[in-house]
Structure formats: C-alpha cells, structure tokens
Amino acid sequence: MKKIILATACGMMAGFVHAQSSVQISGVIDLGVDYAKGSQSQTRLRDGDMAASRLIFKGVEDLGGGQHAAFLLENGFHADTGAEFFGNNRLFGRQAWVELGGGWGTVRLGRQYTPTFDGLVKADAFFVNSNVSPINLVTSREGQGAAKAIYLGRFDNMIAYRSPTMGGFSATLAYAPGEAAGSSSGRNTGANLMYAKGPLYLYYAYQMQYAGTAAAPVADPTRTTFHFVGGTYTMGPVQLGLTVETDSSNAPGVNDARHYLAAVTWKINTANTLRGEVVKRAVDNSPLDPYAVTIGWDHALSKRTFLYGRAVYVNNPAGGASTINLIPINAGSGDDGRSIGFGVRHNF
C-alpha cells in the first residue's frame, strides 16, 4: 500500500514539474549611445534602437488531440533608467493575453498586436522598431489635424482569431469592443490576409479605430481607417520590401494621408546584416510631406548578443516638424533631423 501511495505521489509531482517546465522566462536588454541633431542637439544613452528592452513570461500547455492553451505576459522597460515603457504605467503594457488553439487556428484574448502590425512587421527592415523605423511617420497628424486617431500597433481588450496556414495563406480577424457604456468610443477592429511561400510574402491589412476610451468616452466618436498592402521578395541574401499605407478619418477637415515604404535587407554573412529603408509621407491638400531614411548594421557576436549601428535622417518641408527617434524638432520650424548611434542587444 505504501508503495502504491509513494508511486502515485511521485507521478503527481512529476506531472506538476512537467507543467511548470512549460513556462519560459526570456527577454531583451538593448542599450546604445547616440547623437541627435534637429532644432537642437543631444547626446543620449538610448534604449531599444535595435529592439525594445522587455521581460517576457510565456507558457504553453498541451491539452491533447492537437489542442493547446497558452499565455504571454510582456513587460516593457527602459534599461537606462529601469522605468516602465510601452504601457502607460501598466505592468505588462507590451502584451498580456491567453490563447486556445489547435488545427483549426487560435483564439487569443487580451492586449496584443493588431492584424496590421502582424502584416507590416514582416515587410519592414527594422521590424516597426518604435525608435528608428521610418514607418513611424504613420503616427504623425501633421497636415491632417488632431481628430485623426494615432495609429495603434496593439489593442487593449482584443479578441482575435488567427487561422491556420493553408497553401501559404493565413488570415486574422480582431475586435476590441472599447467597453464604453452607450458609446463606440475606443472600439477597434482589424483584419489581415497574408501569403508566404518560397521567396514571396504578400499581405493586406485593415484597421479601424474610434476616438475616445472607456475611461474618457465621447458622445459621437469619429473613426480613422488604415489600409496597408505590401510584401517582400527574397533573392539569395537580399530581401526587398514594399508597402503602401493609406489613412482617412470621417472627422470634418481631416485630410487623407499615404505612406510609401521601400526596404532592403542584405545578409552579408552569418554575422553581418545591412538594412536600409525609406518612407515618404504624402498628405492631401497639404505641403507637409516629409520623408525619413534609416540605415542599419547588425553584427552577431553570438546567437544572443549583437552589436549594431543606426543612422536616421528626417527631411521636413518648410513649416514641417515631423520626427522619429525623438530627434528634437521645433513645431513649424521646417528643420531636418538626424541621429547616429551604436549599441548592444542581449537576448536572455
């Protein structure tokens, strides 16, 4: 009898240990030094010019029959100060979701990347890096007006279905109810269709955002709609990427805008990669049409540690003040901006 009890207890303990082993802790620490000059100049210790620093908790449980449950908690932080980043003082502001999935696809609930981000990130040579990627011009309101919603790469309270890949095709549908009583404030929807096979990747993605939030609802929220279409083609060590984005709002007086992205990634060898990208912003009925260029170099010291360099240039027309990488440019100055920096990224 004692042997049976002992065997049962050991089996239960083994199962518990196995379940705990499915939880992984990982993350990124990325710091560099850069010099930026716009209307003023700055020398800075910068976080995240290659990849934003983060701490990740991820777990997967096999439910049998090809089904699984999973979760992810992702905290963003500034490695130079230790302060929270990306979440507006939320502990897991980058992502926080739970998922059920199987051969039929996955359903994911919580704060997560939008379908437009999932499509765009594969075509951007800098992976939509919040500091240096030129596509950050899409968050600008210059020449459009404050009623235009700022593009979101993540939604709170999001319900998303991601299909399995069939013949190279996959799709995502997403809805975030906004949770404002009696109002569509903060309501967001999105979808994408992606194709990846051999050297070719193509995507189309759609996103609609309503003004306001559950905490600060508005009586008649305006909506802003974003469309992305593009892809990449890989030829040996070189990958070329193109994307066209359009955004428009139903708010009176808001001009439509377009963004044109061209990117190249060249894997010189196993240790060195060169990256380049240019994005042009064009606004209807406005002369405020800047462009931004970023050049990058990545050098792998190991599978986990990288050295990198990034050079950014923003060209503003007269009266413009668009910027990326927090280059200081005064409103209405028409000043151009530039920055150059070098850093180290370590994955753990």
Side-chain angles (χ1 to χ4, degrees):
M1 186 65 178
K2 289 182 179 180
K3 290 183 178 179
I4 295 174
I5 294 174
L6 181 60
T8 302
C10 289
M12 291 175 64
M13 183 61 71
F16 176 76
V17 171
H18 175 72
Q20 292 300 305
S21 69
S22 68
V23 177
Q24 300 177 349
I25 300 175
S26 62
V28 175
I29 295 180
D30 181 326
L31 282 171
V33 177
D34 85 348
Y35 172 79
K37 180 173 176 54
S39 301
Q40 300 86 34
S41 61
Q42 285 181 306
T43 300
R44 312 172 294 191
L45 180 63
R46 291 280 282 153
D47 175 277
D49 280 0
M50 185 176 184
S53 296
R54 67 198 73 176
L55 178 63
I56 304 168
F57 300 88
K58 184 175 183 179
V60 179
E61 181 185 11
D62 186 349
L63 300 176
Q67 312 301 306
H68 73 268
F71 78 89
L72 185 140
L73 299 171
E74 189 173 5
N75 165 266
F77 62 92
H78 283 298
D80 53 342
T81 65
E84 178 274 335
F85 179 51
F86 254 120
N88 299 320
N89 298 314
R90 291 175 287 187
L91 180 60
F92 296 110
R94 289 187 60 88
Q95 293 191 85
W97 50 256
V98 64
E99 172 185 281
L100 290 174
W104 47 269
T106 62
V107 172
R108 188 177 293 175
L109 310 175
R111 179 167 169 81
Q112 54 190 292
Y113 287 111
T114 62
T116 56
F117 183 95
D118 288 343
L120 172 63
V121 71
K122 297 179 178 68
D124 185 335
F126 295 94
F127 307 107
V128 199
N129 179 278
S130 61
N131 289 348
V132 303
S133 174
I135 198 60
N136 284 295
L137 288 178
V138 78
T139 64
S140 175
R141 289 169 164 168
E142 197 169 63
Q144 293 182 275
K148 174 207 167 180
I150 295 177
Y151 169 76
L152 297 175
R154 300 171 180 82
F155 287 161
D156 290 341
N157 310 308
M158 183 165 133
I159 305 162
Y161 168 73
R162 290 174 169 82
S163 77
T165 299
M166 296 176 288
F169 288 95
S170 62
T172 301
L173 297 173
Y175 174 68
E179 302 186 352
S183 172
S184 56
S185 292
R187 185 180 300 168
N188 301 316
T189 58
N192 69 35
L193 177 64
M194 298 185 287
Y195 174 82
K197 199 165 189 179
L200 182 64
Y201 165 69
L202 299 172
Y203 80 100
Y204 164 74
Y206 161 86
Q207 186 160 307
M208 184 168 65
Q209 300 174 205
Y210 281 86
T213 64
V218 294
D220 187 18
T222 59
R223 66 179 182 271
T224 301
T225 304
F226 302 84
H227 297 270
F228 293 79
V229 60
T232 65
Y233 189 79
T234 302
M235 301 175 292
V238 176
Q239 182 181 84
L240 303 176
L242 293 172
T243 285
V244 177
E245 181 274 346
T246 66
D247 54 72
S248 60
S249 172
N250 68 346
V254 175
N255 296 318
D256 293 354
R258 294 166 303 285
H259 295 82
Y260 305 95
L261 176 154
V264 59
T265 302
W266 177 22
K267 294 185 177 181
I268 300 171
N269 52 41
T270 56
N272 293 283
T273 301
L274 289 178
R275 306 177 184 276
E277 185 166 301
V278 59
V279 171
K280 172 69 174 177
R281 173 173 166 84
V283 182
D284 289 350
N285 306 311
S286 172
L288 302 179
D289 53 354
Y291 67 86
V293 181
T294 300
I295 303 297
W297 162 73
D298 303 343
H299 175 70
L301 296 175
S302 69
K303 290 183 178 180
R304 296 169 52 192
T305 304
F306 299 82
L307 299 177
Y308 65 84
R310 297 288 185 266
V312 177
Y313 174 70
V314 182
N315 178 275
N316 277 303
S322 292
T323 188
I324 61 174
N325 203 25
L326 297 179
I327 299 170
I329 298 177
N330 295 339
S333 66
D335 292 336
D336 297 338
R338 54 190 58 81
S339 68
I340 185 167
F342 300 89
V344 59
R345 164 183 168 173
H346 179 72
N347 303 331
F348 62 88

